[in-house]
Amino acid sequence: MSFVYGNNLKITVFGQSHSPAIGVSIDGLPAGLPVDFDELSSFLRRRMPGQGAYATKRREPDEAEFLSGLADGVTCGAPLAAIIRNTDARSSDYDNLWDVPRPSHADYTAYVKYGAARDARGGGAFSGRMTAPLCVAGGICLQLLRREGISVAAHISQIGNVCDRPFDPVHAGADDMNVLKEAAFPVLDAEAGKRMLAVIEEARQGGDSIGGVVECIATGVPAGIGNPMFDGMENRLAAILFGIPAVKGVEFGNGFSAAALRGSENNDAFIIHGGAVRTRTNRHGGILGGITSGMPVLFRAAFKPTPSISREQESVSLSRLEEVRLAVTGRHDPCIVPRAVPCVEAAAAVALYDALLEPRGHI
């Protein structure tokens, strides 16, 4: 089922952008785990719409309402279910999109698959709005991972051609990771952040949008998590990351740049550090053969520009089968990357905690 993720945890996301509510159910959480609701609310606010010139002006409080799975704020073994109510949908903004699909959006493919039964309001189940319930699940998993000594953080690595400084793949520090979670615009280099904001504003003023890259790191991940072949840690991370609308590429460690290197340049020498096997560098991104190596897990996700732009574009009328021009109205992000940062953290946390629940190797 396309809205279900996980081997040990079963995460099911439900709802549509303009339905009365969206939500998530989590089956498989161990009982007896307290949930910090204030921390979860703070995490959800990082993804919340209506913040900054780079975000849609749709305003949603994004407060999670828990329906089951908790007793006095502690997991009780039953499936946890939560909803987030949609309170600021303006469906009339999408009236013309029932017949004229947005270029590079799922409007057309949803029409091909579901026909007149599809929900075109706000993109329906294909909307970035669906990352809010993912962040509920991820926000809880982030808390549970931290109790296991695992920290996850992400930052805006790139907007257009402007790049932030990368994480240190071996010695990523808690200072950087903690600062990012409090930052209104999560970058490691404030000057790079200013240049990124200028690029976003330029695109917005031109009725356009811009894409970018999010880099994510998980520290404290023990060796031995994951499996070979089709159930590797890279596979499982990629599967949930591609569930975030607009993700078009994922790479781990050196990623695609490894294709231009020799083995002597790309290999990570094994060393003994603190009585444990580690690597001197971390070009492999903390995963070898689908199994974590004990080094930080490091990956990047590339996001395409928001398809919904006010600049006129070429499209077609599905009912008349003729070419037409389309200018999208409504409220849309000129750059979704800043609000995608917590979504990437959430996805990584779900994948890692799901894998952590499996039996591990002998180390």
Side-chain angles (χ1 to χ4, degrees), residues 126-215:
F126 298 90
S127 170
R129 180 85 185 124
M130 302 308 296
T131 59
L134 173 64
C135 283
V136 173
I140 292 171
C141 288
L142 284 167
Q143 295 182 26
L144 303 181
L145 286 173
R146 192 171 61 249
R147 295 168 198 167
E148 300 286 339
I150 298 171
S151 297
V152 179
H155 70 114
I156 304 168
S157 174
Q158 182 176 341
I159 298 289
N161 292 320
V162 180
C163 296
D164 191 20
R165 71 172 170 86
F167 281 124
D168 184 321
V170 177
H171 304 292
D175 288 345
D176 278 346
M177 297 175 79
N178 291 333
V179 165
L180 289 169
K181 295 173 184 179
E182 301 297 329
F185 193 78
V187 291
L188 297 172
D189 180 342
E191 289 303 315
K194 292 177 183 177
R195 296 196 299 274
M196 290 178 183
L197 285 168
V199 170
I200 295 172
E201 179 60 16
E202 181 182 10
R204 189 187 71 81
Q205 292 282 359
D208 215 332
S209 62
I210 189 74
V213 177
V214 173
E215 182 181 50

Side-chain angles (χ1 to χ4, degrees), residues 9-12 24-29 78-82 136-138 140-141:
L9 291 178
K10 289 295 181 184
I11 309 292
T12 303
V24 64
S25 68
I26 311 172
D27 194 2
L29 280 174
L80 185 151
V136 173
I140 292 171
C141 288

Side-chain angles (χ1 to χ4, degrees), residues 4-12 25-31 77-80 141 144 224-227 231-233 236 349-360:
V4 180
Y5 174 88
N7 293 351
N8 306 289
L9 291 178
K10 289 295 181 184
I11 309 292
T12 303
S25 68
I26 311 172
D27 194 2
L29 280 174
L80 185 151
C141 288
L144 303 181
I225 296 175
N227 300 290
D231 198 29
M233 203 63 244
R236 292 160 78 160
V350 169
L352 288 168
Y353 191 71
D354 177 53
L356 198 68
L357 293 175
E358 291 179 351
R360 274 169 259 166

